[in-house]
DNA sequence: TCCAATACCTAAGTTATTGATGTATATTTG
DNA sequence: CAAATATACATCAATAACTTAGGTATTGGA
């Protein structure tokens, strides 16, 4: 499979964006959504996801409410006002990054896209 | 300033691409070229550059020849045949990564706020 | 003469990941 | 109905790529 190093730093952007899109989601749901959206290309591991979610919560970009499905805990995440701001910022940041990379990578692969 | 985490994993792609573009370059030259190409947005630190170059050499994607400019050593890097292959691969990998991210981030990349 | 630029380098610390492991409940299948 | 699989949370050691800070030495300009 291809380099996962590229993913570094994009996980939080992905999470925030999905939360804006879907209102509220729980962890496992996020991994499945990403899997489907990318046709299985991108698989978010739980070891990456949960720490990231916890960090977003600590930074007050998301908040949680837990529910019980039967006896099983399900922890729903949704954006805080601060989180709402952050989404746009993060996405723009990513776009800027891509544009910057194009300035370096495109010179001879130019003008498709 | 914006997140540098995004850069992770792109440095070698950048180096290889520049070497293909310019035939051969030395380390310091690469940092300056990147700086100019991105209008100062992206600054490659030497602590990142040199280890990356050494790794590329170890992996036989680049080779070196040193020259003396006056009394000062200058170490030129250029692509090996293996490196030539790797450039295209790396660039395509990056494009694939961006496309994959778009599948997640694009549904509504609206810019409000 | 001294500072900035050129040009190479290494190493400790930081950080976001992977991969392994753990726990427990719910559902499907043979 | 038992067993395997899926759902759902979590932590943690190891890894990889970086940053920051340091080091050496030459060259050019004010």
């Amino acid at each position: 499979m291809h380099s996962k190093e590229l993913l570094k730093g994009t996980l939080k952007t992905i999470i925030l964006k999905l939360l804006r899109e879907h209102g509220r989601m729980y962890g496992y749901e996020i991994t499945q959504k990403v899997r489907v959206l990318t046709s299985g290309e991108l698989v978010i591991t739980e070891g990456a996801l949960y720490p990231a979610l916890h960090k977003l919560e600590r930074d007050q970009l998301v908040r949680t409410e837990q529910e019980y499905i039967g006896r099983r805990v399900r922890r729903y995440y949704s954006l805080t006002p601060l989180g709402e701001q952050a989404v746009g910022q993060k996405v723009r940041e990513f776009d800027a990054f891509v544009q910057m990379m194009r300035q370096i990578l495109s010179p001879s692969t130019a003008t498709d896209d």
Side-chain angles (χ1 to χ4, degrees), chain A:
Chain A
M1 227 223 205
H2 29 244
S3 74
K4 306 193 164 177
E5 298 132 20
L6 291 169
L7 269 307
K8 302 241 172 180
T10 60
L11 180 54
K12 281 181 209 126
T13 306
I14 290 171
I15 293 172
L16 292 172
K17 175 65 194 244
L18 287 180
L19 288 180
R20 183 168 73 181
E21 206 82 5
H22 298 281
R24 66 173 207 165
M25 299 177 85
Y26 54 99
Y28 187 79
E29 189 184 8
I30 292 173
T31 66
Q32 297 311 303
K33 181 58 86 179
V34 167
R35 194 191 288 265
V36 169
L37 280 176
T38 64
S39 312
E41 272 185 275
L42 177 54
V43 175
I44 305 294
T45 62
E46 296 177 305
L49 178 73
Y50 291 111
L53 284 171
H54 299 333
K55 186 154 198 299
L56 287 173
E57 190 180 8
R58 204 162 64 244
D59 294 346
Q60 307 199 30
L61 300 185
V62 303
R63 58 177 142 63
T64 70
E65 35 184 336
Q66 54 183 325
E67 279 180 26
Y68 280 87
I69 306 300
R71 241 178 269 168
R72 190 155 56 189
V73 171
R74 186 178 282 180
R75 188 172 282 274
Y76 278 98
Y77 289 86
S78 55
L79 294 180
T80 62
L82 199 61
E84 302 268 7
Q85 283 177 38
V87 191
Q89 212 162 44
K90 285 269 192 188
V91 173
R92 278 193 300 277
E93 215 167 68
F94 179 77
D95 288 339
F97 159 70
V98 172
Q99 268 200 301
M100 193 188 66
M101 283 298 289
R102 291 219 186 287
Q103 292 176 332
I104 301 170
L105 298 186
S106 66
S108 80
T109 320
T111 57
D112 44 349
D113 186 59

